[in-house]
Amino acid sequence: MEKIIAIANQKGGVGKTTSAINLAASLAVLEYRTLIIDADPQANTTSGLNFNPDSKEKDTLYEVLIGERKVEEVIKPTGLDHLDIITSHINLVGAEIEMLEIPGRENVLRTALTDIRGKYDYIIVDCAPSLGLITINALTAADSVIIPVQPEYFPLEGLGKLLNTINIVRTRLNPALTIEGFLFTMYDSRLRLHNQVVEEVKNYYPDMVFKTMVTKNVKLSEAPSYGKPAILYDARSAGADNYLNLAREIIKKNESWQKEQR
């Protein structure tokens, strides 16, 4: 049974899309069948994996959410073995309005994904930097959430709001939803502030912080402009290594979860 992991934070610029792309690619390199879903109208995951976000083809997440296409009809291979994608489009901005008339609108994505049960080991959903209906759909469909956090104080301010939203989703829509972990991104061990923030979050959430931290890395920033994850752009880079370690950490953590689901 696959595990569906949403990557969410309503604060922009914290490495959410970078984490989605590189975690999914790392899982694929480790030979786990992986699907990445771009649930952000900005479509950065789409372009970051070398797909055209302005394509006129009606084969994106938008068409799935409004009921025009089935999930299996819009899945595309990325060119990396074991990694497929459902792309996004700017039209996704309007999907929230169009979905308002759909009964059970918070469950549209979860219902759609039942058609591909068992095809993947991991499904990674890159959420928009907002807490709108599409993000709620992602959280309702997910088994767990990864929350990327930049180790500075402004990005911490929105954590309470996000955790409150997760609790609401858990209470009303998806009781099984858990927090996979907080992932520190753009971390620089030389900076006193970064170390203080890491310690503060660990004190508040002692069992919820990933051991892996993603360090500041130029290759991670360059890779999307070439339409590649870091592991294909420069496999020896620190960024590629960080996300491989994160993938291994998640796989190890979820071995017991997979057994419980069987």
Side-chain angles (χ1 to χ4, degrees):
M1 181 179 179
E2 72 279 351
K3 184 158 196 183
I4 303 173
I5 303 176
I7 300 187
N9 194 325
Q10 82 278 13
K11 173 72 175 174
V14 295
K16 178 180 56 60
T17 295
T18 297
S19 296
I21 290 173
N22 288 288
L23 171 59
S26 296
L27 289 166
V29 165
L30 295 170
E31 300 188 347
Y32 286 84
R33 299 167 301 167
T34 306
L35 172 67
I36 186 167
I37 300 175
D38 190 352
D40 185 348
Q42 296 179 72
N44 290 331
T45 290
T46 297
S47 59
L49 286 171
N50 206 32
F51 289 85
N52 180 8
D54 298 318
S55 171
K56 303 301 181 185
E57 298 295 325
K58 294 183 178 295
D59 57 358
T60 70
L61 181 63
Y62 169 73
E63 282 76 26
V64 173
L65 293 180
I66 65 171
E68 288 188 359
R69 300 289 293 270
K70 291 185 176 295
V71 161
E72 59 265 34
E73 296 173 338
V74 302
I75 293 173
K76 308 174 183 75
T78 63
L80 175 62
D81 287 347
H82 308 297
L83 181 61
D84 293 337
I85 186 173
I86 296 177
T87 57
S88 182
H89 191 276
I90 189 61
N91 286 348
L92 201 58
V93 169
E96 294 196 358
I97 298 173
E98 295 181 59
M99 291 166 67
L100 289 176
E101 302 300 320
I102 299 175
R105 57 185 177 269
E106 299 90 355
N107 289 284
V108 173
L109 182 58
R110 177 162 63 180
T111 301
L113 291 177
T114 58
D115 291 342
I116 56 170
R117 283 283 179 192
K119 185 175 180 180
Y120 295 97
D121 299 306
Y122 289 93
I123 297 176
I124 306 297
V125 186
D126 181 24
C127 299
S130 69
L131 297 177
L133 183 56
I134 295 173
T135 298
I136 297 299
N137 260 263
L139 295 176
T140 303
D143 298 299
S144 65
V145 190
I146 290 175
I147 302 173
V149 182
Q150 188 179 357
E152 296 180 2
Y153 281 108
F154 284 133
L156 284 183
E157 289 183 342
L159 273 186
K161 187 175 181 181
L162 177 60
L163 292 173
N164 185 53
T165 299
I166 290 170
N167 284 332
I168 291 171
V169 171
R170 187 184 289 138
T171 301
R172 301 180 183 177
L173 299 165
N174 184 5
L177 182 65
T178 62
I179 294 177
E180 192 77 22
F182 293 102
L183 173 66
F184 281 107
T185 60
M186 295 174 261
Y187 172 70
D188 187 338
S189 62
R190 299 168 299 178
L191 296 180
R192 183 178 176 185
L193 173 61
H194 283 201
N195 292 313
Q196 287 176 336
V197 171
V198 168
E199 287 307 309
E200 186 173 327
V201 174
K202 284 182 176 179
N203 287 335
Y204 274 106
Y205 310 104
D207 301 318
M208 294 166 61
V209 178
F210 285 110
K211 293 179 182 176
T212 302
M213 289 189 281
V214 180
T215 56
K216 284 189 174 181
N217 183 248
V218 173
K219 301 298 183 182
L220 281 176
S221 302
E222 292 176 349
S225 64
Y226 292 88
K228 295 179 179 181
I231 201 161
L232 293 185
Y233 179 64
D234 186 347
R236 294 177 294 181
S237 66
D241 188 55
N242 291 159
Y243 281 106
L244 268 175
N245 287 336
L246 176 66
R248 293 187 183 105
E249 189 174 346
I250 289 171
I251 291 164
K252 184 176 180 180
K253 180 178 180 180
N254 283 291
E255 285 175 352
S256 59
W257 181 89
Q258 296 285 358
K259 290 176 183 176
E260 290 171 5
Q261 303 305 308
R262 293 187 181 120

